């Protein structure tokens, strides 16, 4: 305590710190305040509808997922679902899906033996390209919920081991659709069916 | 002495082991199949969803030895849920299909259906379908087609098939609500030969005019629905024929 008080009294050093070091420090870290302050989350969290309109890659993704899901006997556990969005605002959903892609590409698609799965390289490349397009997509608000939901997904994959990876590949079709719905301007009509007017009762 | 006897016994055992193994395998095989016989023989086969315009029906084949007294039980669930739900209308039925249109109406969700059979007091195991997502897998039907003869032309009125879902007021929601669809109109130039089809229009218009035709010659058309996003075409509509004025 005494030494600190002594140092505080030593005014030239204090003044030097205030006028020179502090501004330098602030200059060195210009990004974080801006991000937290103004950048609207949705601004760069957008993918062009075009990216999803090629039936070629869509069908390859679906085919790959179908093939993997046929050997997935576990119908209780699911990785890509509404639970990813628990306590997450709608404007942040695209961010969530961007993070999901990164996890699935890095921890699943790039780590399995590809000769078991047709088209897996193509699909991985496609998804990786979209996640690059979303590199400026940032989160706004509190992140704990997102991190928690993502952690749970990761844990599930790990717990299930090899079949967890196979399950993730079996859900690439869901990943594709969720990504499209969360990140394109006019979500395809898959979403509208979840509205109120579809059921007879 | 003892060791010689033991060695002899051992060689006999080794020589006969394959035979012993074979007998053992056969024996266990027989008993197991004996116990499982009925379960296995009445087990439903090829449990799968068939879906046209979101009318989703679970189908299966009877077991290899299904007799008249066999009945079936159906359950379904959304992928990721742990509980299976009973389909009350398909609980103890004789038919080999079950309409799950209502239960699978969240068209972007993946579903499972499963069936078990009961015969002579013996239940089969549950046989589960593969994962089924209506939006991705439903077949879209051709449009309904109305033809009106005009001056050296034919006017077509096309209407996309309806989904089973209704608006609040009760009208059916068409499939165009769920997909960007287009129509492919084919003109059959030689009335008798379906192979001589010419694509004369492709687009989203509901009213299409085919012009430049000969008057008083019969023309037929068929139409298919095309789904660009999945690169899939429907079957052709029924053939409609008319004679331009």
């Amino acid at each position: 305590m005494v030494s600190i008080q002594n140092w505080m009294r030593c005014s030239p050093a204090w003044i030097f710190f205030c006028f020179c070091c502090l501004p330098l420090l602030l200059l060195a870290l210009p990004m974080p305040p801006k991000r937290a302050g103004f950048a609207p989350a949705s601004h760069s969290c957008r993918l062009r509808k075009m990216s999803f309109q090629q039936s070629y890659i869509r069908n390859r993704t679906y085919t790959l997922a179908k093939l993997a899901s046929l050997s997935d006997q576990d119908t209780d556990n699911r990785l890509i679902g509404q639970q990813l969005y628990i306590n997450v605002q709608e404007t942040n959903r695209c961010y969530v899906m961007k993070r999901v892609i990164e996890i699935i590409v890095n921890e699943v698609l790039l780590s399995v033996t590809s000769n078991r799965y047709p088209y897996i390289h193509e699909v991985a490349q496609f998804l990786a390209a979209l996640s690059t397009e979303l590199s400026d997509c940032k989160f706004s608000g509190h992140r704990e919920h997102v991190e928690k939901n993502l952690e749970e997904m990761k844990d599930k994959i790990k717990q299930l081991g090899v079949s967890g990876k196979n399950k993730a590949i079996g859900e690439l079709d869901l990943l594709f659709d969720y990504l499209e719905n969360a990140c394109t301007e006019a979500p395809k009509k898959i979403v509208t069916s979840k509205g109120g007017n579809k059921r007879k009762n | 002495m003892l060791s010689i006897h033991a060695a002899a016994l051992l060689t006999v055992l080794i020589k006969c082991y394959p035979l012993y193994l074979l007998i053992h395998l056969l024996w266990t095989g027989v008993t197991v199949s004996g116990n499982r016989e009925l379960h296995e023989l009445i087990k439903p086969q090829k449990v799968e969803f068939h879906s046209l315009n979101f009318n989703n029906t679970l189908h299966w084949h009877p077991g290899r030895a299904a007799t008249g007294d066999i009945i079936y039980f159906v359950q379904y669930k959304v992928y990721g849920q742990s509980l299976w739900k009973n389909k009350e209308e398909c609980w103890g039925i004789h038919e080999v299909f079950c309409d799950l249109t209502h239960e699978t109406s969240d068209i972007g969700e993946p579903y499972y259906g499963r069936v078990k059979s009961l015969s002579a007091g013996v239940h089969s195991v549950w046989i589960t379908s593969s994962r089924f997502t209506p939006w991705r897998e439903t077949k879209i039907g051709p449009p309904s087609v109305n033809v009106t003869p005009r001056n050296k032309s034919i006017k077509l009125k096309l209407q996309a098939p309806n989904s089973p879902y209704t608006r609040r007021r009760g009208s059916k929601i068409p499939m165009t609500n769920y997909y960007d669809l287009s129509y492919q109109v084919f003109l059959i130039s030689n009335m008798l030969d379906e192979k001589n089809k010419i694509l004369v229009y492709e687009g989203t218009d509901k009213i299409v005019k085919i012009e430049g035709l000969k008057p008083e010659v019969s023309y037929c058309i068929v139409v298919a629905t095309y789904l660009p996003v999945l690169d899939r075409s429907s079957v052709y509509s029924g053939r409609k024929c008319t004679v331009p004025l």
Side-chain angles (χ1 to χ4, degrees), chain B residues 66-87:
Chain B
T67 49
D69 73 328
I70 195 164
I71 53 172
Y72 301 99
F73 303 87
V74 174
Q75 291 187 327
Y76 65 94
K77 73 170 176 181
V78 174
Y79 172 46
Q81 293 175 344
S82 48
L83 286 179
W84 290 88
K85 289 180 204 128
N86 296 347
K87 169 68 177 167

Side-chain angles (χ1 to χ4, degrees), chain A residues 75-76 171 173 177 189 197, chain B residues 77 79-80 131 136 166 177:
Chain A
T75 62
D76 297 354
E171 293 188 26
D173 52 351
D177 292 351
K189 283 149 186 173
N197 62 359
Chain B
K77 73 170 176 181
Y79 172 46
R131 198 180 295 163
R136 244 168 268 149
T166 49
N177 225 57

Side-chain angles (χ1 to χ4, degrees), chain A residues 44-118:
Chain A
S44 43
C45 294
R46 276 279 167 266
L47 291 171
R48 289 161 299 154
K49 239 184 127 186
M50 267 260 295
S51 311
F52 295 93
Q53 280 170 341
Q54 298 158 336
S55 56
Y56 174 83
I57 194 70
R58 183 186 288 271
N59 282 336
R60 297 219 141 174
T61 308
Y62 289 176
T63 304
L64 170 59
K66 188 86 193 171
L67 191 89
S69 75
L70 285 177
S71 57
D72 181 11
Q73 305 296 317
D74 166 18
T75 62
D76 297 354
N77 286 301
R78 177 168 164 184
L79 305 169
I80 312 291
Q82 290 298 315
Q83 78 277 6
L84 286 168
Y85 295 152
I86 292 173
N87 291 319
V88 176
Q89 282 186 318
E90 210 163 327
T91 48
N92 284 320
R93 288 185 172 185
C94 184
Y95 173 81
V96 172
M97 289 319 295
K98 168 196 152 174
R99 293 280 306 277
V100 172
I101 294 182
E102 286 165 3
I103 294 166
I104 299 289
V105 169
N106 293 327
E107 295 181 20
V108 178
L109 301 186
L110 296 181
S111 75
V112 294
T113 41
S114 57
N115 50 15
R116 247 194 87 190
Y117 298 104

